[in-house]
Amino acid sequence: MESNHNPSRATTDEDFPAFSNVSVLNRIDLSSPDIQKSVSLVKQASLDSGFFYVVNHGISQDFMDEVFSQSKRFFDLPKDSKMKLLRNEKHRGYTPILDELLDPVNQVNGDYKEGYYIGIEVPEDDPEAEKPFYGPNIWPATDLLPGWRQTMEKYHQEALEVAKKVARIIALALDLDADFFHKPEMLGKPIATLRLLHYEGLGRVTGRVSNPLEGIYGAGAHTDYGLITLLATDEVVGLQICKDRHANPPIWEYVPPLKGAFIVNLGDMLERWSNCIFRSTLHRVLGNGQERYSMAFFVEPSHECLVECLPSCKSETNPPKFPPVRCQTYLSQRYKDTHADLSLYRNHQD
């Protein structure tokens, strides 16, 4: 994409301010017996920022460290090896630098990050594999990365259990039955996708310092598409949230990493269910030149789930703000809008 921006201009303090504007998020302790306190904290966070921390979630720190280590092993592979695992039409596999463009109004190129999608494993001969976002995963060869698949599959399973616990608290915060989101058409057969992410440091060929004035971002401003996202990060600061997407100018706040915790945020489908009472908050990632790794676990309801305004969230004076939409329809369109067409890679092989 051509631009009048000058990418060679040095980044200044005005472009990338110090970490002074920091968001203070609620912490939800999943081991706490005081469920009402957890519900209250989630409700407050959902109304205020759409983001909160989850601690004592049951996944050991040793295992989290192992997953990060295995993620780094993949991204350290030569580019040719990674491109052989390029994502398919089911969004499984590797996504190169600039593959995703989340904020076309403000970005001059795509996101300066690379990723790897891992979904629920569905055999190719299973009729379910015909659905979008379902099917076999793409796995690196065992001689290339021994033990990698087993680690990622275990993490996927454990993260889904954490997400289901969080969903129960969110349901109660919406004055619903605790198992509202656990119905067969919702999380009974979810679309749950793990995405490993790597933001390159300046020592790498394509590593870039983010510069909002130049339209350069690690990840452009966006909201997540589904129910909730569980984000695990290393200790490098980069995530920012904007609580009021209509503010002019927007106010961006950093979300500090919290060792061992998940940063949880609400997605568009939950905002639609709640008629905008609960927030799907705009967020982005600014790279400061340091290598940064994170793991996003996106949890959506089943393909056929109809997402429509909850009866308790509408009235004569507050009618539904969105029409009903099927989960797979909404997700498919959002992915199509933000990812490069795969034919570009077939037409421009290195």
Side-chain angles (χ1 to χ4, degrees), residues 279-320:
R279 313 269 298 279
S280 178
T281 300
L282 205 61
H283 54 287
R284 68 186 188 184
V285 174
L286 296 189
N288 62 6
Q290 288 180 278
E291 206 99 10
R292 181 175 181 269
Y293 295 88
S294 64
M295 302 183 298
F297 189 71
F298 303 106
V299 182
E300 352 280 11
S302 76
H303 291 79
E304 298 305 319
C305 181
L306 189 66
V307 180
E308 57 183 334
C309 182
L310 296 166
S312 58
C313 296
K314 62 184 177 182
S315 65
E316 286 187 12
T317 55
N318 185 30

Side-chain angles (χ1 to χ4, degrees), residues 16-83:
F16 195 39
F19 306 142
S20 55
N21 205 17
V22 174
S23 189
V24 179
L25 302 182
N26 287 351
R27 297 188 190 189
I28 316 303
D29 185 345
L30 288 190
S31 69
S32 171
D34 190 348
I35 188 67
Q36 285 310 314
K37 179 181 179 182
S38 296
V39 169
S40 177
L41 288 170
V42 164
K43 189 168 188 174
Q44 181 189 40
S46 300
L47 295 169
D48 173 50
S49 68
F51 274 75
F52 51 90
Y53 297 112
V54 163
V55 299
N56 296 325
H57 43 67
I59 303 179
S60 74
Q61 187 61 52
D62 284 348
F63 184 56
M64 294 288 283
D65 292 343
E66 172 64 16
V67 182
F68 271 106
S69 174
Q70 293 281 16
S71 174
K72 184 178 187 301
R73 285 177 65 203
F74 172 79
F75 290 119
D76 281 345
L77 292 173
K79 182 181 178 183
D80 287 351
S81 298
K82 292 184 287 190
M83 288 301 290

Side-chain angles (χ1 to χ4, degrees), residues 143-334:
D143 58 343
L144 186 67
L145 293 176
W148 200 85
R149 173 175 178 170
Q150 290 79 2
T151 299
M152 295 306 164
E153 287 186 323
K154 180 183 176 186
Y155 181 75
H156 191 288
Q157 292 167 359
E158 294 195 10
L160 183 56
E161 290 308 307
V162 175
K164 288 179 177 179
K165 293 175 186 175
V166 174
R168 284 193 169 90
I169 300 174
I170 290 173
L172 292 171
L174 283 166
D175 298 320
L176 301 168
D177 181 84
D179 289 329
F180 177 81
F181 293 113
H182 291 69
K183 297 172 184 176
E185 70 274 19
M186 294 187 187
L187 296 185
K189 295 185 74 173
I191 302 171
T193 304
L194 169 62
R195 193 176 190 196
L196 311 175
L197 293 165
H198 172 224
Y199 300 84
E200 290 190 343
L202 285 178
R204 305 265 185 166
V205 175
T206 53
R208 297 293 297 270
V209 173
S210 295
N211 189 332
L213 294 184
E214 303 289 356
I216 297 170
Y217 298 88
H222 65 286
T223 57
D224 286 354
Y225 314 151
L227 181 63
I228 57 173
T229 302
L230 273 58
L231 180 72
T233 78
D234 62 14
E235 297 176 359
V236 177
V237 175
L239 175 65
Q240 291 186 319
I241 64 174
C242 176
K243 294 178 182 177
D244 182 359
R245 69 182 75 169
H246 303 296
N248 189 16
I251 298 171
W252 290 97
E253 301 176 12
Y254 282 98
V255 175
L258 184 62
K259 180 100 173 155
F262 282 114
I263 300 168
V264 178
N265 64 285
L266 313 183
D268 296 346
M269 291 183 194
L270 196 53
E271 184 172 84
R272 295 172 83 103
W273 259 313
S274 70
N275 211 23
C276 295
I277 294 172
F278 280 11
R279 313 269 298 279
S280 178
T281 300
L282 205 61
H283 54 287
R284 68 186 188 184
V285 174
L286 296 189
N288 62 6
Q290 288 180 278
E291 206 99 10
R292 181 175 181 269
Y293 295 88
S294 64
M295 302 183 298
F297 189 71
F298 303 106
V299 182
E300 352 280 11
S302 76
H303 291 79
E304 298 305 319
C305 181
L306 189 66
V307 180
E308 57 183 334
C309 182
L310 296 166
S312 58
C313 296
K314 62 184 177 182
S315 65
E316 286 187 12
T317 55
N318 185 30
K321 296 176 175 62
F322 305 99
V325 66
R326 293 216 178 273
C327 176
Q328 74 172 34
T329 304
Y330 185 77
L331 280 182
S332 295
Q333 188 60 52
R334 290 298 300 271

